[in-house]
Amino acid sequence: MENNELIKIARLAQAQACAPYSHFKVGAALLTQSGRIYSGCNVESSSYGLTICAERVALFKALSEGERHFTKIAITSDSSQVCPPCGACRQVLMDYAPDIEVILFNDRGDIQEISLRELLPNAFTSNFLKTL
Ligand code: THU
């Protein structure tokens, strides 16, 4: 799967974003090892803290369908800078897709590819739960 195709799917998901409070629309497209794609957009709540990011929507959709192996996630926004995943999404991605490559795309067509391990060094993982 080419990055460009994944970005296109993230862009389509971005168009579905429910962002009436921030007006910051984000799209994500997650590629599984088996070649399936799960997309997501951010969904905001009037109780702001209940908002969920595009990345976690895509990941939870995939996990809830039984997917467990992921290779790439593309993330798009209308920001002039490429939009990296927030800390919460980095953590959840680390829990379920530690080796994933993250492809960031902005409204100017710039692409940045970076590994999740680079985005979240020295991560907390389930291994620590076994050290009690
Ligand atoms: N947002 C995402 O969907 N993904 C990120 O990685 C950063 C932030 C959303 C959450 C909220 O709806 C809006 O962007 C502004 O924070």
PDB file of all heavy atoms in Angstrom, residues 18-19 22-27 41-45 51-56 75 83-87 89, ligand 1:
ATOM      1  N   CYS A  18     -16.185  15.353  13.412  1.00  0.00           N
ATOM      2  CA  CYS A  18     -17.210  16.073  14.178  1.00  0.00           C
ATOM      3  C   CYS A  18     -16.450  16.991  15.118  1.00  0.00           C
ATOM      4  O   CYS A  18     -16.114  16.588  16.238  1.00  0.00           O
ATOM      5  CB  CYS A  18     -18.060  15.092  14.970  1.00  0.00           C
ATOM      6  SG  CYS A  18     -18.776  13.794  13.957  1.00  0.00           S
ATOM      7  N   ALA A  19     -16.144  18.185  14.649  1.00  0.00           N
ATOM      8  CA  ALA A  19     -15.300  19.092  15.429  1.00  0.00           C
ATOM      9  C   ALA A  19     -15.944  20.476  15.541  1.00  0.00           C
ATOM     10  O   ALA A  19     -15.354  21.493  15.158  1.00  0.00           O
ATOM     11  CB  ALA A  19     -13.916  19.185  14.781  1.00  0.00           C
ATOM     12  N   SER A  22     -13.613  22.807  18.298  1.00  0.00           N
ATOM     13  CA  SER A  22     -12.258  23.258  17.945  1.00  0.00           C
ATOM     14  C   SER A  22     -12.163  23.654  16.473  1.00  0.00           C
ATOM     15  O   SER A  22     -11.262  24.402  16.088  1.00  0.00           O
ATOM     16  CB  SER A  22     -11.245  22.140  18.205  1.00  0.00           C
ATOM     17  OG  SER A  22     -11.358  21.123  17.221  1.00  0.00           O
ATOM     18  N   HIS A  23     -13.040  23.114  15.651  1.00  0.00           N
ATOM     19  CA  HIS A  23     -12.953  23.286  14.182  1.00  0.00           C
ATOM     20  C   HIS A  23     -11.654  22.738  13.620  1.00  0.00           C
ATOM     21  O   HIS A  23     -11.244  23.095  12.527  1.00  0.00           O
ATOM     22  CB  HIS A  23     -13.139  24.761  13.769  1.00  0.00           C
ATOM     23  CG  HIS A  23     -14.415  25.329  14.282  1.00  0.00           C
ATOM     24  ND1 HIS A  23     -15.643  24.978  13.777  1.00  0.00           N
ATOM     25  CD2 HIS A  23     -14.658  26.192  15.294  1.00  0.00           C
ATOM     26  CE1 HIS A  23     -16.590  25.608  14.453  1.00  0.00           C
ATOM     27  NE2 HIS A  23     -16.015  26.352  15.384  1.00  0.00           N
ATOM     28  N   PHE A  24     -10.989  21.905  14.401  1.00  0.00           N
ATOM     29  CA  PHE A  24      -9.733  21.289  13.946  1.00  0.00           C
ATOM     30  C   PHE A  24     -10.055  19.853  13.546  1.00  0.00           C
ATOM     31  O   PHE A  24     -10.258  18.980  14.397  1.00  0.00           O
ATOM     32  CB  PHE A  24      -8.708  21.331  15.087  1.00  0.00           C
ATOM     33  CG  PHE A  24      -7.315  20.967  14.666  1.00  0.00           C
ATOM     34  CD1 PHE A  24      -6.495  21.898  14.036  1.00  0.00           C
ATOM     35  CD2 PHE A  24      -6.803  19.691  14.900  1.00  0.00           C
ATOM     36  CE1 PHE A  24      -5.200  21.561  13.646  1.00  0.00           C
ATOM     37  CE2 PHE A  24      -5.518  19.344  14.518  1.00  0.00           C
ATOM     38  CZ  PHE A  24      -4.713  20.284  13.895  1.00  0.00           C
ATOM     39  N   LYS A  25     -10.120  19.638  12.235  1.00  0.00           N
ATOM     40  CA  LYS A  25     -10.540  18.324  11.731  1.00  0.00           C
ATOM     41  C   LYS A  25      -9.319  17.454  11.446  1.00  0.00           C
ATOM     42  O   LYS A  25      -8.372  17.910  10.788  1.00  0.00           O
ATOM     43  CB  LYS A  25     -11.365  18.489  10.455  1.00  0.00           C
ATOM     44  CG  LYS A  25     -12.652  19.243  10.697  1.00  0.00           C
ATOM     45  CD  LYS A  25     -13.494  19.325   9.448  1.00  0.00           C
ATOM     46  CE  LYS A  25     -14.871  19.872   9.824  1.00  0.00           C
ATOM     47  NZ  LYS A  25     -15.841  19.689   8.752  1.00  0.00           N
ATOM     48  N   VAL A  26      -9.390  16.236  11.940  1.00  0.00           N
ATOM     49  CA  VAL A  26      -8.267  15.301  11.779  1.00  0.00           C
ATOM     50  C   VAL A  26      -8.796  14.001  11.170  1.00  0.00           C
ATOM     51  O   VAL A  26      -9.917  13.572  11.472  1.00  0.00           O
ATOM     52  CB  VAL A  26      -7.600  14.994  13.152  1.00  0.00           C
ATOM     53  CG1 VAL A  26      -6.375  14.085  12.976  1.00  0.00           C
ATOM     54  CG2 VAL A  26      -7.208  16.287  13.862  1.00  0.00           C
ATOM     55  N   GLY A  27      -7.996  13.405  10.300  1.00  0.00           N
ATOM     56  CA  GLY A  27      -8.349  12.106   9.718  1.00  0.00           C
ATOM     57  C   GLY A  27      -7.201  11.129   9.929  1.00  0.00           C
ATOM     58  O   GLY A  27      -6.030  11.519  10.001  1.00  0.00           O
ATOM     59  N   CYS A  41     -11.992   9.592  12.304  1.00  0.00           N
ATOM     60  CA  CYS A  41     -11.928  11.058  12.401  1.00  0.00           C
ATOM     61  C   CYS A  41     -12.112  11.415  13.868  1.00  0.00           C
ATOM     62  O   CYS A  41     -12.557  10.578  14.665  1.00  0.00           O
ATOM     63  CB  CYS A  41     -13.019  11.704  11.549  1.00  0.00           C
ATOM     64  SG  CYS A  41     -14.689  11.271  12.081  1.00  0.00           S
ATOM     65  N   ASN A  42     -11.769  12.653  14.217  1.00  0.00           N
ATOM     66  CA  ASN A  42     -12.010  13.060  15.601  1.00  0.00           C
ATOM     67  C   ASN A  42     -13.497  13.323  15.821  1.00  0.00           C
ATOM     68  O   ASN A  42     -14.199  13.791  14.925  1.00  0.00           O
ATOM     69  CB  ASN A  42     -11.149  14.266  16.007  1.00  0.00           C
ATOM     70  CG  ASN A  42     -11.231  15.439  15.061  1.00  0.00           C
ATOM     71  OD1 ASN A  42     -11.427  15.276  13.861  1.00  0.00           O
ATOM     72  ND2 ASN A  42     -11.076  16.643  15.587  1.00  0.00           N
ATOM     73  N   VAL A  43     -13.949  12.973  17.019  1.00  0.00           N
ATOM     74  CA  VAL A  43     -15.354  13.153  17.395  1.00  0.00           C
ATOM     75  C   VAL A  43     -15.362  13.902  18.724  1.00  0.00           C
ATOM     76  O   VAL A  43     -14.890  13.374  19.739  1.00  0.00           O
ATOM     77  CB  VAL A  43     -16.067  11.793  17.533  1.00  0.00           C
ATOM     78  CG1 VAL A  43     -17.536  12.008  17.896  1.00  0.00           C
ATOM     79  CG2 VAL A  43     -15.960  10.989  16.227  1.00  0.00           C
ATOM     80  N   GLU A  44     -15.849  15.136  18.696  1.00  0.00           N
ATOM     81  CA  GLU A  44     -15.814  15.975  19.895  1.00  0.00           C
ATOM     82  C   GLU A  44     -17.130  15.905  20.666  1.00  0.00           C
ATOM     83  O   GLU A  44     -18.174  15.597  20.100  1.00  0.00           O
ATOM     84  CB  GLU A  44     -15.512  17.423  19.490  1.00  0.00           C
ATOM     85  CG  GLU A  44     -14.135  17.541  18.841  1.00  0.00           C
ATOM     86  CD  GLU A  44     -13.731  18.961  18.502  1.00  0.00           C
ATOM     87  OE1 GLU A  44     -14.603  19.862  18.510  1.00  0.00           O
ATOM     88  OE2 GLU A  44     -12.534  19.155  18.226  1.00  0.00           O
ATOM     89  N   SER A  45     -17.029  16.206  21.963  1.00  0.00           N
ATOM     90  CA  SER A  45     -18.200  16.246  22.840  1.00  0.00           C
ATOM     91  C   SER A  45     -18.331  17.643  23.431  1.00  0.00           C
ATOM     92  O   SER A  45     -17.320  18.339  23.643  1.00  0.00           O
ATOM     93  CB  SER A  45     -18.011  15.224  23.965  1.00  0.00           C
ATOM     94  OG  SER A  45     -18.980  15.432  24.964  1.00  0.00           O
ATOM     95  N   THR A  51     -13.952  14.048  24.190  1.00  0.00           N
ATOM     96  CA  THR A  51     -13.555  13.993  22.776  1.00  0.00           C
ATOM     97  C   THR A  51     -12.598  12.841  22.520  1.00  0.00           C
ATOM     98  O   THR A  51     -11.762  12.519  23.369  1.00  0.00           O
ATOM     99  CB  THR A  51     -12.871  15.337  22.422  1.00  0.00           C
ATOM    100  OG1 THR A  51     -13.869  16.350  22.459  1.00  0.00           O
ATOM    101  CG2 THR A  51     -12.198  15.301  21.065  1.00  0.00           C
ATOM    102  N   ILE A  52     -12.734  12.245  21.354  1.00  0.00           N
ATOM    103  CA  ILE A  52     -11.773  11.194  20.987  1.00  0.00           C
ATOM    104  C   ILE A  52     -11.095  11.572  19.670  1.00  0.00           C
ATOM    105  O   ILE A  52     -11.728  12.100  18.752  1.00  0.00           O
ATOM    106  CB  ILE A  52     -12.426   9.787  20.938  1.00  0.00           C
ATOM    107  CG1 ILE A  52     -11.391   8.730  20.574  1.00  0.00           C
ATOM    108  CG2 ILE A  52     -13.623   9.745  20.032  1.00  0.00           C
ATOM    109  CD1 ILE A  52     -11.814   7.314  20.887  1.00  0.00           C
ATOM    110  N   CYS A  53      -9.813  11.317  19.616  1.00  0.00           N
ATOM    111  CA  CYS A  53      -9.003  11.680  18.447  1.00  0.00           C
ATOM    112  C   CYS A  53      -9.211  10.693  17.296  1.00  0.00           C
ATOM    113  O   CYS A  53      -9.576   9.531  17.506  1.00  0.00           O
ATOM    114  CB  CYS A  53      -7.518  11.652  18.800  1.00  0.00           C
ATOM    115  SG  CYS A  53      -7.015  12.864  20.008  1.00  0.00           S
ATOM    116  N   ALA A  54      -8.902  11.169  16.110  1.00  0.00           N
ATOM    117  CA  ALA A  54      -9.044  10.377  14.887  1.00  0.00           C
ATOM    118  C   ALA A  54      -8.242   9.073  14.964  1.00  0.00           C
ATOM    119  O   ALA A  54      -8.715   8.003  14.548  1.00  0.00           O
ATOM    120  CB  ALA A  54      -8.562  11.202  13.706  1.00  0.00           C
ATOM    121  N   GLU A  55      -7.042   9.150  15.518  1.00  0.00           N
ATOM    122  CA  GLU A  55      -6.157   7.983  15.557  1.00  0.00           C
ATOM    123  C   GLU A  55      -6.761   6.865  16.394  1.00  0.00           C
ATOM    124  O   GLU A  55      -6.710   5.688  16.034  1.00  0.00           O
ATOM    125  CB  GLU A  55      -4.793   8.361  16.152  1.00  0.00           C
ATOM    126  CG  GLU A  55      -4.008   9.386  15.353  1.00  0.00           C
ATOM    127  CD  GLU A  55      -4.312  10.822  15.750  1.00  0.00           C
ATOM    128  OE1 GLU A  55      -5.464  11.123  16.117  1.00  0.00           O
ATOM    129  OE2 GLU A  55      -3.388  11.649  15.665  1.00  0.00           O
ATOM    130  N   ARG A  56      -7.316   7.252  17.562  1.00  0.00           N
ATOM    131  CA  ARG A  56      -7.885   6.214  18.437  1.00  0.00           C
ATOM    132  C   ARG A  56      -9.187   5.676  17.871  1.00  0.00           C
ATOM    133  O   ARG A  56      -9.502   4.501  18.063  1.00  0.00           O
ATOM    134  CB  ARG A  56      -8.042   6.732  19.861  1.00  0.00           C
ATOM    135  CG  ARG A  56      -6.752   6.542  20.656  1.00  0.00           C
ATOM    136  CD  ARG A  56      -6.849   7.142  22.032  1.00  0.00           C
ATOM    137  NE  ARG A  56      -6.918   8.590  21.943  1.00  0.00           N
ATOM    138  CZ  ARG A  56      -7.543   9.374  22.814  1.00  0.00           C
ATOM    139  NH1 ARG A  56      -8.185   8.833  23.820  1.00  0.00           N
ATOM    140  NH2 ARG A  56      -7.529  10.677  22.675  1.00  0.00           N
ATOM    141  N   ILE A  75      -1.982  10.248   9.057  1.00  0.00           N
ATOM    142  CA  ILE A  75      -2.755  11.242   9.815  1.00  0.00           C
ATOM    143  C   ILE A  75      -2.764  12.555   9.025  1.00  0.00           C
ATOM    144  O   ILE A  75      -1.704  13.048   8.619  1.00  0.00           O
ATOM    145  CB  ILE A  75      -2.124  11.485  11.213  1.00  0.00           C
ATOM    146  CG1 ILE A  75      -2.017  10.165  11.977  1.00  0.00           C
ATOM    147  CG2 ILE A  75      -2.940  12.500  12.005  1.00  0.00           C
ATOM    148  CD1 ILE A  75      -1.110  10.229  13.197  1.00  0.00           C
ATOM    149  N   CYS A  83       0.624  17.307  11.507  1.00  0.00           N
ATOM    150  CA  CYS A  83       0.017  17.162  12.842  1.00  0.00           C
ATOM    151  C   CYS A  83       0.412  15.826  13.448  1.00  0.00           C
ATOM    152  O   CYS A  83      -0.058  14.779  13.010  1.00  0.00           O
ATOM    153  CB  CYS A  83      -1.499  17.270  12.691  1.00  0.00           C
ATOM    154  SG  CYS A  83      -2.410  16.896  14.187  1.00  0.00           S
ATOM    155  N   PRO A  84       1.278  15.820  14.437  1.00  0.00           N
ATOM    156  CA  PRO A  84       1.672  14.556  15.068  1.00  0.00           C
ATOM    157  C   PRO A  84       0.596  14.091  16.043  1.00  0.00           C
ATOM    158  O   PRO A  84      -0.171  14.910  16.548  1.00  0.00           O
ATOM    159  CB  PRO A  84       2.959  14.922  15.804  1.00  0.00           C
ATOM    160  CG  PRO A  84       2.820  16.363  16.115  1.00  0.00           C
ATOM    161  CD  PRO A  84       1.918  16.987  15.090  1.00  0.00           C
ATOM    162  N   PRO A  85       0.510  12.793  16.323  1.00  0.00           N
ATOM    163  CA  PRO A  85      -0.497  12.310  17.258  1.00  0.00           C
ATOM    164  C   PRO A  85      -0.259  12.849  18.663  1.00  0.00           C
ATOM    165  O   PRO A  85       0.894  13.051  19.072  1.00  0.00           O
ATOM    166  CB  PRO A  85      -0.316  10.792  17.221  1.00  0.00           C
ATOM    167  CG  PRO A  85       1.005  10.538  16.608  1.00  0.00           C
ATOM    168  CD  PRO A  85       1.349  11.715  15.776  1.00  0.00           C
ATOM    169  N   CYS A  86      -1.341  13.069  19.405  1.00  0.00           N
ATOM    170  CA  CYS A  86      -1.221  13.588  20.774  1.00  0.00           C
ATOM    171  C   CYS A  86      -0.627  12.502  21.677  1.00  0.00           C
ATOM    172  O   CYS A  86      -0.522  11.323  21.282  1.00  0.00           O
ATOM    173  CB  CYS A  86      -2.592  14.040  21.293  1.00  0.00           C
ATOM    174  SG  CYS A  86      -3.643  12.684  21.821  1.00  0.00           S
ATOM    175  N   GLY A  87      -0.292  12.874  22.884  1.00  0.00           N
ATOM    176  CA  GLY A  87       0.340  11.929  23.809  1.00  0.00           C
ATOM    177  C   GLY A  87      -0.528  10.718  24.110  1.00  0.00           C
ATOM    178  O   GLY A  87      -0.026   9.590  24.184  1.00  0.00           O
ATOM    179  N   CYS A  89      -2.802   9.329  22.227  1.00  0.00           N
ATOM    180  CA  CYS A  89      -2.822   8.419  21.063  1.00  0.00           C
ATOM    181  C   CYS A  89      -1.485   7.689  20.918  1.00  0.00           C
ATOM    182  O   CYS A  89      -1.458   6.513  20.553  1.00  0.00           O
ATOM    183  CB  CYS A  89      -3.156   9.191  19.789  1.00  0.00           C
ATOM    184  SG  CYS A  89      -4.883   9.728  19.766  1.00  0.00           S
TER     185      CYS A  89
HETATM  186  N1  THU B   1      -6.983  15.661  17.589  1.00  0.00           N
HETATM  187  C1  THU B   1      -6.914  14.476  16.925  1.00  0.00           C
HETATM  188  O1  THU B   1      -7.927  13.970  16.420  1.00  0.00           O
HETATM  189  N2  THU B   1      -5.710  13.869  16.840  1.00  0.00           N
HETATM  190  C2  THU B   1      -4.548  14.362  17.357  1.00  0.00           C
HETATM  191  O2  THU B   1      -3.542  13.683  17.342  1.00  0.00           O
HETATM  192  C3  THU B   1      -4.527  15.723  17.908  1.00  0.00           C
HETATM  193  C4  THU B   1      -5.852  16.276  18.252  1.00  0.00           C
HETATM  194  C5  THU B   1      -8.284  16.323  17.684  1.00  0.00           C
HETATM  195  C6  THU B   1      -8.909  16.279  19.051  1.00  0.00           C
HETATM  196  C7  THU B   1      -9.801  17.507  19.007  1.00  0.00           C
HETATM  197  O3  THU B   1     -11.035  17.131  18.432  1.00  0.00           O
HETATM  198  C8  THU B   1      -9.105  18.461  18.058  1.00  0.00           C
HETATM  199  O4  THU B   1      -8.162  17.677  17.345  1.00  0.00           O
HETATM  200  C9  THU B   1      -8.395  19.606  18.741  1.00  0.00           C
HETATM  201  O5  THU B   1      -7.582  19.153  19.761  1.00  0.00           O
END
